[in-house]
Amino acid sequence: MSDAAELRGLRPLQSGQGHEFASWRTGALRIAVGLGLILVVAQATYVVQARPQDLITGAHGMADILWRASPPDFGQFQHELWPAIETLDIAIFGTLWGVILALPLAIFAARNTSPSRSLYYLARGLIALCRAVPDLVWALLFVTAVGLGPFPGALAISVHSVGMLGRLFSEVIEDMDKGPVEALITTGATRLQVFSHAIVPIVLPSLLGITLYRLDENIRGSLVLGFVGAGGIGFELLTAMNLFQYQTVSLLLVITFVLVTITERLSAALRAKLA
Amino acid sequence: MSGALIRADDLTMRYPNGTLALEGASFEVAAGELLVILGHNGCGKSTLLRCIAGLQVPTQGQVSVSGQVLTGLTGRALSTARMKLGMVFQQARLVGRRSVIANVLCGTLGRRQTLTTMLGMFPRDDAPVALESLDAVGLSAFANQRASTLSGGQAQRVSIARALAQKPAALLADEPVASLDPDAANEVMQLLRRISSRDGLAVICVLHQPELARRYGDRVIGMKKGRVLFDAAPEAIAARDMDALYTGTAGGSYHE
Ligand SMILES: Nc1ncnc2c1ncn2[C@@H]1O[C@H](COP(=O)(O)OP(=O)(O)OP(=O)(O)O)[C@@H](O)[C@H]1O
Ligand SMILES: [Mg+2]
């Protein structure tokens, strides 16, 4: 029998088996998954006490706030410039220290570069801890520890970034093309030389891209941190809300929107350049 | 032959999972000699080269290079010994983002201070060395091009240039022409031929094409299931022996 004939002979047989298989086992599985999904959605709707009618009756209140919030009070712009800079700098400081701490941790937490098994698990655990606790909770902790202001915010962003960056960095290192690394080992290069001439040039673009993305996320994160007293725009927003200065609130939202859009675009453009 | 440059003695390799990849392989290669290794998939050719290059430690036996035993060395002594052996793989294994010349310069790392080279500073006299080895593979015109823009054949020649910049006494090539078209394959084989006969390096080259082995090899070793089946000049190998290499080995790998 020629190859082609063999293939023709085999195809219907295989797909026939597939259909038989699909007809009852897979079918039952699909129904079960569908029922399960419906159940999950139903209990979520019940637990959040969803009341769509309140949205309609509440529309009046929302319109009132919107009315009182416009136009934004641009006279406050100069006054709010400093908190805006603070928000940016919390993100920059936090990202920078996040990178500085995440890099060595990631090297320990990548299976192919970790010096020992116990260090591997220790690094993994630290990274998981930093990541599992949200930055808002870290900020609460640091506000208690070092007092109000931008510094606890910057610390919170750093620690949370260590978790996010550490995991992504170690994945990049683990998935790296090992060919050039081994090639350099055979030239008699030392460990450090292999690191600087093979590992760094291979992974650097990905690491930079991840860091830029993190910076973008951190700016959004640091906007919120002020709610718990960690400085920046968020703190201003909270104060204005409490004092019912809705026109200041809307100005702050405009500033936030501009900040987030610009950094998002900038970070995306830089990342596109790296690729 | 008294002038053995590389000597493999009773090399045996059992991987941690129990696979016996090499079983008492012994042979010698002299300076200026091109030795071809043939054998079915999974017969242990790559394992053999990796043991010689010191990338793997054999479970038994030893490798010596110009009289110095390499097996068992560690740390700085191992890196120094490795400099005598250049290695080329099936894939060129270049750092694609860097220039061709930067990749070739990496071959000189073993001779240089860790700290200065880490900052990207190579001694001035290394540039001519790198250019010279690039010239030897006929690619000096490509020095400043990004390595990722090269064709497969060119990339392979650059990887040979990187190994030459190391100024090794021997070159180990693991299927260097496996992903090249016939013309590019012949170019690379001619290059290896020249490196051994003109520059006096010992060259060990793993191939899957008996006809290339006959055309370019000074000597051919046939391996089967981790053992050396024959070791002879190409003209002394009977077609029957060549066929025996590849019979009864379907399935590729060999487990005990
Ligand atoms: N790291 C490893 N761990 C366990 N077994 C391995 C390892 N590397 C190779 N082997 C096994 O050792 C045997 C020899 O492998 P090797 O790669 O040396 O063969 P080869 O002759 O180079 O084959 P090919 O022609 O396909 O390249 C094979 O059975 C392979 O499965
Ligand atoms: Mg192989």
Side-chain angles (χ1 to χ4, degrees):
Chain A
M1 197 161 46
S2 77
D3 283 355
E6 210 163 40
L7 273 180
R8 256 180 278 132
L10 279 174
R11 278 254 172 74
L13 187 70
Q14 276 175 342
S15 63
Q17 279 174 338
H19 274 300
E20 251 167 25
F21 189 67
S23 65
W24 63 282
R25 272 262 192 88
T26 319
L29 193 73
R30 277 180 195 159
I31 291 170
V33 168
L35 283 178
L37 271 176
I38 291 172
L39 220 69
V40 168
V41 173
Q43 66 86 30
T45 312
Y46 176 75
V47 170
V48 303
Q49 307 175 6
R51 294 181 306 272
Q53 67 275 18
D54 283 12
L55 264 179
I56 296 160
T57 48
H60 173 70
M62 290 224 268
D64 182 47
I65 290 189
L66 272 181
W67 177 252
R68 281 196 278 162
S70 54
D73 182 5
F74 284 104
Q76 292 285 317
F77 184 72
Q78 246 182 337
H79 173 73
E80 302 298 359
L81 204 58
W82 183 249
I85 291 173
E86 221 172 59
T87 293
L88 268 180
D89 282 336
I90 289 172
I92 291 172
F93 180 96
T95 310
L96 187 70
W97 279 95
V99 171
I100 292 172
L101 297 172
L103 254 187
L105 267 183
I107 291 168
F108 287 173
R111 232 167 289 124
N112 51 338
T113 49
S114 190
S116 85
R117 255 199 119 56
S118 45
L119 277 174
Y120 168 79
Y121 284 114
L122 189 72
R124 289 247 130 175
L126 264 175
I127 287 171
L129 179 73
C130 292
R131 196 177 60 241
V133 180
D135 44 9
L136 203 64
V137 177
W138 282 120
L140 270 173
L141 290 175
F142 284 123
V143 166
T144 324
V146 304
L148 296 174
F151 188 48
L155 287 178
I157 295 276
S158 309
V159 173
H160 189 63
S161 295
V162 166
M164 303 302 282
L165 293 173
R167 197 186 108 184
L168 293 175
F169 283 5
S170 64
E171 275 170 9
V172 167
I173 297 173
E174 275 181 358
D175 295 344
M176 175 186 76
D177 175 13
K178 278 127 205 140
V181 173
E182 212 175 57
L184 280 212
I185 291 174
T186 59
T187 68
T190 63
R191 267 180 101 105
L192 276 175
Q193 284 173 328
V194 172
F195 183 75
S196 64
H197 285 82
I199 297 180
V200 169
I202 291 169
V203 302
L204 200 62
S206 317
L207 299 196
L208 276 177
I210 291 169
T211 304
L212 279 171
Y213 183 67
R214 193 69 239 154
L215 180 65
D216 177 17
E217 294 266 297
N218 281 348
I219 286 171
R220 264 171 281 173
S222 85
L223 279 164
V224 182
L225 292 189
F227 286 171
V228 295
I233 295 258
F235 191 61
E236 298 294 309
L237 208 54
L238 185 71
T239 322
M241 280 280 212
N242 286 340
L243 299 176
F244 306 109
Q245 294 166 342
Y246 291 116
Q247 284 176 294
T248 311
V249 169
S250 60
L251 169 73
L252 289 167
L253 291 180
V254 169
I255 294 178
T256 304
F257 178 78
V258 171
L259 261 184
V260 168
T261 316
I262 290 178
T263 51
E264 217 174 59
R265 287 283 164 84
L266 214 67
S267 142
L270 283 174
R271 273 182 282 135
K273 261 218 148 122
L274 278 174
Chain B
M1 209 177 300
S2 62
L5 185 80
I6 298 180
R7 223 190 134 95
D9 242 332
D10 190 30
L11 285 181
T12 299
M13 179 74 204
R14 187 183 286 279
Y15 282 106
N17 66 3
T19 309
L20 189 61
L22 281 179
E23 217 180 336
S26 304
F27 60 90
E28 292 180 351
V29 199
E33 190 179 28
L34 198 162
L35 170 71
V36 173
I37 299 182
L38 291 174
H40 61 89
N41 287 128
C43 73
K45 305 177 297 296
S46 296
T47 304
L48 179 65
L49 286 202
R50 295 171 63 84
C51 284
I52 295 174
L55 286 171
Q56 255 165 14
V57 184
T59 30
Q60 195 185 306
Q62 66 179 29
V63 174
S64 45
V65 178
S66 30
Q68 184 201 11
V69 176
L70 215 131
T71 312
L73 294 182
T74 53
R76 192 66 234 183
L78 178 61
S79 345
T80 312
R82 271 177 182 150
M83 281 166 52
K84 292 191 208 158
L85 303 169
M87 186 145 183
V88 178
F89 304 85
Q90 178 177 344
Q91 302 302 328
R93 302 191 175 189
L94 304 175
V95 179
R97 302 178 43 81
R98 305 192 80 194
S99 67
V100 166
I101 193 77
N103 272 284
V104 176
L105 272 168
C106 282
T108 67
L109 285 175
R111 293 196 293 279
R112 299 301 171 209
Q113 284 292 315
T114 294
L115 217 61
T116 50
T117 54
M118 270 185 75
L119 297 173
M121 297 185 290
F122 286 91
R124 214 171 273 275
D125 42 326
D126 273 352
V129 172
L131 273 174
E132 200 181 297
S133 22
L134 206 49
D135 203 34
V137 302
L139 289 175
S140 36
F142 292 78
N144 293 313
Q145 201 164 314
R146 254 173 84 125
S148 60
T149 61
L150 298 174
S151 77
Q154 290 166 339
Q156 191 57 285
R157 276 146 67 201
V158 171
S159 87
I160 294 174
R162 174 176 60 194
L164 291 180
Q166 192 182 325
K167 297 197 171 157
L171 197 63
L172 313 174
D174 192 358
E175 301 189 30
V177 301
S179 38
L180 305 186
D181 70 39
D183 282 350
N186 271 308
E187 262 178 62
V188 166
M189 286 314 295
Q190 275 157 17
L191 182 58
L192 293 181
R193 179 70 267 172
R194 196 165 70 232
I195 288 168
S196 75
S197 31
R198 201 189 63 189
D199 306 333
L201 272 74
V203 176
I204 304 181
C205 179
V206 170
L207 290 177
H208 275 305
Q209 299 94 326
E211 61 299 346
L212 286 184
R214 285 192 190 278
R215 192 172 333 147
Y216 294 103
D218 291 316
R219 235 170 74 228
V220 178
I221 280 184
M223 282 181 68
K224 193 168 187 177
K225 298 184 176 180
R227 294 169 178 273
V228 173
L229 204 67
F230 58 74
D231 178 349
E235 56 277 8
I237 301 166
R240 186 160 40 89
D241 289 333
M242 206 64 108
D243 291 343
L245 271 188
Y246 300 104
T247 49
T249 57
S253 73
Y254 157 60
H255 294 275
E256 275 239 313

